[in-house]
Amino acid sequence: LPLPASPPNRLAPGCSLDVDPVQPFSVTARVAVATFFLPFPTVPSLLCGRLHAQSLVVDGAANPVGLITSNRGTLVLGDSL
């Protein structure tokens, strides 16, 4: 899948898929805030590794497809040994 990918503008204006959905999971949010925990093993080879993430939100009133996307975020795992 070539990224970023965008649906036709008339279906979901302003939305794009910026990361490869390799490991999708669901989170329930309240009051526009969602918290999740993603444990990582203590493995030195993961130090300073990068993880890219993006949210896909179900919002039936947002557009014809009922989905909106967040901006992409990049997490850096640790900063030194």
Side-chain angles (χ1 to χ4, degrees), residues 1-80:
L1 176 66
L3 297 173
S6 298
N9 196 39
R10 64 179 170 30
L11 296 177
C15 294
S16 66
L17 179 63
D18 296 324
V19 299
D20 188 359
V22 173
Q23 184 62 47
F25 57 92
S26 64
V27 176
T28 302
R30 292 180 183 245
V31 193
V33 174
T35 301
F36 66 95
F37 296 94
L38 190 60
F40 286 93
T42 306
V43 179
S45 63
L46 293 178
L47 191 61
C48 296
R50 297 191 188 301
L51 174 70
H52 303 285
Q54 184 177 20
S55 296
L56 178 68
V57 179
V58 177
D59 183 351
N63 52 47
V65 294
L67 299 171
I68 56 175
T69 57
S70 70
N71 294 330
R72 180 187 71 213
T74 300
L75 299 96
V76 178
L77 306 177
D79 60 2
S80 64

